[in-house]
Amino acid sequence: MKIGIIGLGRMGANITRRLMRDKHECVVFDKSTDAVKGLEKDGATGAADLASMVKALDAPRAIWVMLPSGKITEDTIEALAGAMSVGDIIIDGGNSFYKDDIRRAASLKEKGLHYVDVGTSGGIWGIDRGYCMMIGGETEIVDHLDPIFKTLAPGIGTIDKTPDRKGHDPRAEQGYIHAGPVGAGHFVKMVHNGIEYGLMQAYAEGFDILRNKASTDLPEAQRFDLNLADISEVWRRGSVISSWLLDLTASALAKDEKLAAYTGYVEDSGEGRWTIEAAIEEAVPAEVLTASLFARFRSRQEHTFGEKMLSAMRQGFGGHLEQGHTPVAKGD
């Protein structure tokens, strides 16, 4: 397929490259001309602005917006709506709020345009691992875009098949689903990220407890100077709590068991807050997710080893740098 991609940051550029590997044609735009030139060298067609991107695509056009949630995404979609034609498709692959999706889709529908929201997980590793996608939109439009999603998805890989899945959507085994109507994709991804907060917080607190077992505040006979790098590594090997987050933890601890490169300042990108708001609206108790969100707020005032662990995991899967953090040179 031929597709336009707007936003060539950590994920947008790699999404483009993964698509081109599978012979999809990509027309790209970013406010950074260097980012556009970099993708042009890899085979993409660069666009100088949104209008030229639209002209370079064949009807019905599909344009994937991969920008931070908020005003920049809102303004970009509004500008695209003014340049595109009836039957064209706008895809938001960022982390937009699902209620914004519903509002946008209704507005675009009046102009004869289609809207698809794609909750995209995979971070900086997605170019090779693939992207887990949760998709919201009209069935006919999602099916039309399936070649794009199939390329971006991880595929079934080596993961054991789940028993008794007969009759369920086979796309889920490939790493992507049509979650429901517009907004459903970002809603599922929002809750995914809320759960991610809780999982990360559990690892962080557990390793903080392990580390502090050497504290001189404890009786000498009860002190253990534990090797956290080895503990994280052994837990990866058949433990019930093994996960990709634990893989990232083990990698960070192997490099530096004290995590000296991190301050412990942990951002939240919005989805955790929105998940708690949804829990309140639905009267669903969410004690763990709420506590993990509040722990991130607290991290900006005081920093524990556990918070350094959260920072290490965030950088590991998404390339998220701490506020004021200078990236370490490759090879250091």
Side-chain angles (χ1 to χ4, degrees), residues 312-323:
M313 282 187 274
R314 290 186 85 238
Q315 184 175 350
F317 68 75
H320 304 289
L321 296 178
E322 294 178 328
Q323 190 176 72

Side-chain angles (χ1 to χ4, degrees), residues 233-314:
E233 186 63 30
V234 77
W235 282 352
R236 295 180 61 217
R237 311 292 173 172
S239 162
V240 71
I241 63 167
S242 60
S243 72
W244 185 31
L245 290 172
L246 186 59
D247 295 345
L248 298 171
T249 298
S251 178
L253 289 171
K255 290 177 184 175
D256 174 15
E257 195 170 354
K258 294 183 179 180
L259 302 181
Y262 301 93
T263 67
Y265 186 105
V266 186
E267 285 283 7
D268 68 286
S269 53
E271 299 90 340
R273 302 185 190 210
W274 300 335
T275 302
I276 304 312
E277 289 174 7
I280 292 169
E281 290 174 356
E282 299 167 18
V284 173
E287 295 95 333
V288 171
L289 305 191
T290 304
S292 66
L293 174 64
F294 288 168
R296 294 193 175 201
F297 295 163
R298 180 177 51 74
S299 77
R300 297 159 206 173
Q301 299 173 351
E302 56 178 305
H303 306 309
T304 66
F305 182 80
E307 283 151 4
K308 291 184 179 184
M309 182 67 65
L310 290 176
S311 288
M313 282 187 274
R314 290 186 85 238

Side-chain angles (χ1 to χ4, degrees), residues 4 32 39 59 69 73 132 137 145-146 177 188 192 219 229 249 269 273 283 317 328:
S32 167
L39 267 297
S69 63
T73 292
C132 174
L145 295 169
D146 191 73
I177 58 167
V188 174
H192 164 283
T249 298
S269 53
R273 302 185 190 210
F317 68 75
V328 179

Side-chain angles (χ1 to χ4, degrees), residues 3-23:
I3 186 170
I5 299 175
I6 300 172
L8 306 176
R10 286 190 301 258
M11 290 180 67
N14 283 347
I15 282 172
T16 304
R17 292 187 176 100
R18 188 171 173 93
L19 287 171
M20 291 192 297
R21 282 182 187 176
D22 203 28
K23 309 304 181 186

Side-chain angles (χ1 to χ4, degrees), residues 105-169:
S107 176
L108 293 171
K109 187 175 182 179
E110 294 176 359
K111 300 175 181 179
L113 300 175
H114 303 284
Y115 182 87
V116 175
D117 55 290
V118 183
T120 311
S121 180
I124 58 177
W125 304 96
I127 187 172
D128 295 317
R129 291 172 60 102
Y131 299 91
C132 174
M133 291 169 291
M134 297 133 271
I135 305 159
E138 305 159 76
T139 298
E140 181 181 351
I141 302 305
V142 172
D143 289 348
H144 171 72
L145 295 169
D146 191 73
I148 296 295
F149 301 137
K150 188 173 183 180
T151 289
L152 292 176
I156 198 162
T158 59
I159 298 173
D160 292 340
K161 279 184 168 286
T162 301
D164 303 321
R165 272 199 55 82
K166 187 176 180 180
H168 290 277
D169 188 344

